Amino acid sequence: MDNGHYNSARGSLIVLEGLDRSGKTSQCSNLLSYLRGTGLSVEAWRFPDRSTSIGQLISAYLANESQLDDKAIHLLFSANRWEKRALMENKLKSGITIVVDRYSYSGVAFSVAKGLDMGWCMALEMGLIAPDLVIFLDIPPEKAAERGGYGTERYEQLEFQRKVAKHYHTLCDASWEVVDGSLPMEAIQKQLRDLSMHCVMKCQQGKPLMNLWSSKEDCPHCN
Ligand code: DGP
């Protein structure tokens, strides 16, 4: 990637991660409104992006309407992120901040919970755009399971989510911001707003765009 050829007023890539029912989706939309209110150009994205033809295959799989080999569905999830990469880069370079509900970390945590190799999963994500901020909404799987609507899609099962939580914690490094997802909504909102504004400022001051796990050294789980 042409690191260095960035717009000095580029947008930020802000990613929210967490278990199913961790509250990410509500927090993303609240953060979007807040950031817009400050006058920034912001968009909300989510992965999987079910609007594309790859996304529709994923959606059918998640609704248990189709069966696919674990590696095949993982490749589709990854392809769904790759098909949006160029657009993402263009938007960021044109000054638009993107708040994303799930990204490559979901890919790795969920697929490794199914038994796939972590290095294999991470390698497929190498070269996507690296987030400027990863916020992990940390919530005990048991608490998430108590929340409304849980259990309608393929992965929304407590035992499985416990494994996903474990793999999120393996992936979580010092660059992540861990926010307690059990706190009251307003307390979470405040933390997300502060973290995001700090990130936006750093990007506006010229922090370069980077690629995710751009070398094997960055990707400790790649063989
Ligand atoms: P959501 O639309 O946020 O409810 O996410 C759909 C589900 O797909 C959710 O259980 C997390 C899971 N998921 C997201 N990305 C990936 C991925 O790359 N691989 C796998 N196996 N699952 C994923």
Side-chain angles (χ1 to χ4, degrees):
M1 187 175 170
D2 54 339
N3 286 339
H5 294 96
Y6 54 87
N7 180 340
S8 61
R10 74 167 176 93
S12 308
L13 181 60
I14 300 172
V15 170
L16 263 76
E17 286 283 359
L19 295 180
D20 290 322
R21 309 292 155 186
S22 56
K24 280 179 298 78
T25 306
S26 318
Q27 290 296 344
C28 278
S29 84
N30 184 280
L31 184 59
L32 175 80
S33 313
Y34 172 77
L35 293 175
R36 279 208 176 131
T38 68
L40 286 172
S41 299
V42 197
E43 288 187 9
W45 287 28
R46 64 181 308 145
F47 288 110
D49 177 343
R50 303 184 194 218
S51 68
T52 70
S53 41
I54 294 173
Q56 282 164 24
L57 292 173
I58 296 171
S59 194
Y61 173 82
L62 289 171
N64 291 305
E65 289 161 7
S66 66
Q67 303 305 322
L68 279 171
D69 174 84
D70 287 343
K71 280 194 172 164
I73 185 65
H74 183 80
L75 289 167
L76 289 179
F77 272 112
S78 185
N80 186 232
R81 291 183 278 274
W82 277 102
E83 68 180 331
K84 304 299 294 275
R85 189 199 179 286
L87 182 64
M88 182 182 266
E89 182 174 349
N90 289 340
K91 298 244 177 200
L92 292 168
K93 284 184 169 170
S94 72
I96 298 170
T97 285
I98 307 178
V99 175
V100 193
D101 185 345
R102 297 195 182 286
Y103 198 50
S104 301
Y105 313 98
S106 285
V108 176
F110 279 76
S111 289
V112 174
K114 295 167 86 176
L116 298 191
D117 178 71
M118 187 171 272
W120 184 81
C121 294
M122 289 178 95
L124 294 171
E125 310 294 308
M126 284 172 75
L128 288 171
I129 297 177
D132 297 299
L133 172 63
V134 181
I135 299 173
F136 178 53
L137 223 44
D138 197 15
I139 183 173
E142 297 71 23
K143 187 148 185 161
E146 288 164 9
R147 294 187 170 173
Y150 193 88
T152 52
E153 279 205 330
R154 186 181 281 265
Y155 297 141
E156 295 178 342
Q157 293 158 15
L158 181 54
E159 249 341 283
F160 184 74
Q161 297 281 327
R162 284 193 179 118
K163 288 188 195 162
V164 175
K166 192 179 106 194
H167 296 303
Y168 265 129
H169 284 280
T170 306
L171 284 172
C172 180
D173 64 21
S175 69
W176 286 29
E177 296 291 345
V178 181
V179 171
D180 181 352
S182 314
L183 291 174
M185 187 92 156
E186 297 69 30
I188 299 176
Q189 277 168 14
K190 170 142 185 16
Q191 290 190 43
L192 267 51
R193 291 172 181 186
D194 292 348
L195 290 167
S196 300
M197 288 310 291
H198 181 67
C199 169
V200 164
M201 267 170 42
K202 276 202 314 200
C203 295
Q204 286 177 343
Q205 286 163 2
K207 178 180 176 239
L209 269 182
M210 302 291 284
N211 283 334
L212 185 58
W213 299 318
S214 47
S215 67
K216 289 205 170 174
E217 290 71 49
D218 288 346
C219 179
H221 302 281
C222 291
N223 297 319

